[in-house]
Amino acid sequence: MKKTLSLAAVLAVLVLAGGAWYVTRLPASPFDGETAAAPAPDLIARGEYVARQADCVACHSLEGGAPFAGGLEMGTPLGVIHATNITPDPDHGIGGYTLADFDRALRDGVTPDGRRLYPAMPYPSYEKMTDDDIRALYAFFMAGVEPVAEPVPENGIPWPLNIRWPLAAWNAVFTSGAVYQPDPERDALWNRGAYLVEGAGHCGSCHTPRGIAMNEKGLDSSDPDFLSGALLDGWYAPSLRGDGAAGIGRWSEEDLFAFLSEGRNAHAVVFGSMTEAFNNSLQFLTEPDLRAMAHYLKSLPGEGEAWVPAPAEVTTPAQAARAGLPGAQSYLANCAACHGRDGSGQAPWIPPLAGVTSAQVAEPASQINVTLNGSGRVVADGMPDAYRMPPYRGRMDDAEIAEILSFVRQSWGNRGGAVDPADVADLRSRTDPASIDPIVLQMR
């Protein structure tokens, strides 16, 4: 009996020691022991392009602030996280990082001192990036970005949720730990698109639903949950799969390319968080890369019935009065001039509301948010658009907005359902109007 207990104690100590080693170790990097030489200009330029693919500037910069100096406040279910300073400043930034340190932070979520990064940093996607792209990105940040001696505010995650070593176990369960491997059964265009969407583009960080542990439920095209739509920070990032009404099933590959390259097409215009992604990342990508992304996205299967248009029952104030539909008269007075009495819009400049994805899904957050706060200016090829959705928070109360959106979401064949004024009030209390100025964050 004593021998059994002693053996059990020894095993328990070994397990604890092994666990302690595992959660505090520095993962191996293919760049361990490598000393980076002064990078050539073409490598720096390539790294700048990879930074655009990864949209590093959107999280690590503030409007009006120095590029990559950090400080952006991000709300999470655990508390507030501030994006870090990733300039080559040796004290407040990453100036002391070796190439291997940089690689571990980017693809493993581990800092040189062994701290685990919260997966608000999309390393579950970045881990798919190739060694060549990591090397180029490092060259850009070390030689193409000005150092900024600016500290970042402390995160607002309370104890014990701010204990980071359990993230090592989280990573073991919820990340793949592998660089993207081309699918030999797919062509080069598909594989390039998959690499960009699943890797540097980290589209799944917003568009993939999360589990109870805040993990993305799918990380690649093999999982039907991948890019199937998710609620995030007051916006509903819709499905990017071929779902009938709730996804992009009606969009052609050319529609997708137009949306990625111009920020608009016959079905939609970028708004909300997607405006930032377009202005700071997508508009800078090459046509071949954007076509590859469109080709890949169009290949993803979906579920659900397609949207079936229905004739407009209310197109005049008199009809609205006779129908007695809440929100109909307000829609005609406030929205129809741009979006049409029949919800058809004025594509590609003003999107239709009949058949729009945000009016098909049960979650109304995006429509509430954009109605309350408007949307930012879309900037393509350096030119801001002339049309933008204005904020209505100052013109309408919660009940009026809920009525209009309920009308939109139940007209013209839309099937999103009614909106509760309490949901409008909730988003009103924790969101702000979009800026009227064009915003493109500078990287140099």
Side-chain angles (χ1 to χ4, degrees), residues 84-380:
T84 54
N85 180 334
I86 55 172
T87 73
D89 180 75
D91 298 316
H92 301 291
I94 60 172
Y97 280 36
T98 65
L99 177 55
D101 292 335
F102 182 81
D103 173 47
R104 270 187 284 268
L106 202 70
R107 294 196 289 194
D108 296 306
V110 183
T111 62
D113 62 2
R115 286 185 306 117
R116 302 281 165 167
L117 298 176
Y118 296 110
M121 160 69 171
Y123 60 83
S125 298
Y126 290 165
E127 67 183 0
K128 298 186 179 187
M129 295 171 67
T130 64
D131 291 357
D132 286 345
D133 276 354
I134 297 297
R135 189 188 302 278
L137 198 59
Y138 179 75
F140 169 66
F141 277 107
M142 291 302 168
V145 174
E146 290 293 323
V148 179
E150 188 171 317
V152 173
E154 290 291 326
N155 292 326
I157 297 180
W159 186 90
L161 298 176
N162 63 349
I163 299 174
R164 301 199 187 196
W165 62 260
L167 286 168
W170 188 96
N171 292 346
V173 175
F174 297 120
T175 66
S176 67
V179 174
Y180 177 79
Q181 298 300 315
D183 185 340
E185 297 184 1
R186 299 284 191 168
D187 60 24
L189 187 66
W190 188 94
N191 276 294
R192 177 60 176 171
Y195 174 72
L196 292 169
V197 170
E198 297 177 8
H202 64 282
C203 304
S205 294
C206 290
H207 290 272
T208 299
R210 295 187 179 254
I212 192 171
M214 296 308 297
N215 58 294
E216 294 170 46
K217 290 185 175 181
L219 293 172
D220 57 46
S221 62
S222 67
D223 195 311
D225 282 324
F226 182 60
L227 301 181
S228 63
L231 180 65
L232 184 70
D233 200 21
W235 298 98
Y236 183 79
S239 170
L240 299 182
R241 304 180 69 88
D243 299 311
I248 55 174
R250 293 189 299 135
W251 295 23
S252 68
E253 192 169 312
E254 196 62 30
D255 288 335
L256 276 164
F257 171 70
F259 190 76
L260 295 174
S261 61
E262 300 171 23
R264 60 185 73 249
N265 62 21
H267 305 284
V269 177
V270 296
F271 69 97
S273 302
M274 192 62 191
T275 306
E276 299 170 12
F278 177 81
N279 285 353
N280 294 308
S281 176
L282 292 171
Q283 70 156 322
F284 294 97
L285 303 193
T286 63
E287 179 176 337
D289 276 352
L290 293 175
R291 287 198 178 279
M293 294 172 70
H295 182 66
Y296 167 76
L297 290 172
K298 190 57 186 173
S299 76
L300 300 179
E303 299 177 347
E305 298 177 357
W307 172 71
V308 178
E313 297 179 358
V314 175
T315 59
T316 68
Q319 288 174 327
R322 287 196 298 270
L325 294 175
Q329 287 181 296
S330 291
Y331 174 84
L332 292 173
N334 293 281
C335 314
C338 290
H339 293 285
R341 292 170 178 263
D342 57 357
S344 60
Q346 300 178 54
W349 307 108
I350 300 173
L353 298 181
V356 68
T357 299
S358 57
Q360 315 306 321
V361 296
E363 174 53 64
S366 285
Q367 287 196 311
I368 294 174
N369 205 331
V370 76
T371 305
L372 278 170
N373 299 312
S375 189
R377 304 278 292 278
V378 180
V379 182

